[in-house]
Amino acid sequence: MAKWAVIYSSITGNTEKVAKAVAAALENADCFTVASAPEDLSPYEGIALGYWLWRGGPDKEMQELMGRLENRRVFLFATHATQNGSEHAVTALARGAAALGRGCTILTTFDCQGELAPQLVEKRRRMPAEDPHANTGGWKTAFGHPDEGDLIRAKAAADNAMRKLAFFLKKEAGER
């Protein structure tokens, strides 16, 4: 069974909640905050990276870690206040992929709506109607997320990542 490192950044607790569900689903995983992640990740065949969004991509601390990874197999997940699968969410995952170092392979991705901090909700409510953040609507429906349905989807994404990693490892070992 492949060994995984689940590394996440979280401010409101949304990404932490998803990371813990992912780690439980991966079965053989160690879970770290980005600040406590080991420098040497060589014992891990798979790396799951979860982040909150900063300017439409991974936060700075996660970006720094991502840039140091090379030739790794990665599962990316992100939490955000927009609807799941929205253009903003897809772009945020693409920006995460672009932040990875050379030779990394993305096994799968997962995005999840997360509840905004109360001060950000209030800020959005006061924005002029022409501001794009005021009109996305996602923040209005984010209350209570990630919920149990989101965590079930996160676990399914982790299962998918495990299957893909197992395929790559068997292929490398010359098995069919």
Side-chain angles (χ1 to χ4, degrees):
M1 178 183 308
K3 187 153 179 73
W4 285 85
V6 177
I7 304 170
Y8 68 92
S9 58
S10 188
I11 290 182
T12 60
N14 295 329
T15 312
E16 178 180 18
K17 191 174 184 181
V18 174
K20 289 180 177 180
V22 165
L26 290 171
E27 298 168 1
N28 189 17
D30 295 325
C31 193
F32 308 97
T33 65
V34 69
S36 69
E39 190 68 32
D40 179 13
L41 294 170
S42 63
Y44 301 98
E45 290 92 358
I47 311 287
L49 300 170
Y51 51 90
W52 58 277
L53 300 189
W54 177 76
R55 296 187 177 180
D59 62 277
K60 287 182 179 185
E61 198 173 12
M62 182 58 77
Q63 283 183 38
E64 289 172 13
L65 175 100
M66 293 169 120
R68 292 193 308 264
L69 296 177
E70 290 189 359
N71 303 312
R72 301 311 306 249
R73 297 207 170 93
V74 179
F75 164 23
L76 294 178
F77 61 97
T79 60
H80 51 78
T82 63
Q83 281 84 16
N84 295 331
S86 67
E87 180 183 359
H88 184 66
V90 171
T91 300
L93 289 167
R95 288 179 177 154
L100 292 169
R102 290 183 332 201
C104 289
T105 301
I106 298 171
L107 298 168
T108 195
T109 62
F110 173 75
D111 75 279
C112 179
Q113 192 173 34
E115 189 172 322
L116 276 177
Q119 66 270 26
L120 290 177
V121 170
E122 198 50 45
K123 182 180 176 182
R124 295 273 165 86
R125 284 193 173 119
R126 292 190 312 266
M127 288 179 168
E130 62 274 6
D131 187 300
H133 289 99
N135 294 314
T136 61
W139 63 271
K140 295 175 183 175
T141 61
F143 183 77
H145 288 274
D147 62 16
E148 197 54 41
D150 297 321
L151 299 180
I152 290 168
R153 289 186 321 103
K155 291 174 183 178
D159 287 342
N160 188 29
M162 280 192 302
R163 281 192 306 277
K164 288 181 177 181
L165 181 58
F167 170 80
F168 280 112
L169 294 175
K170 283 180 183 180
K171 188 175 174 183
E172 283 176 358
E175 298 176 26
R176 292 190 183 248

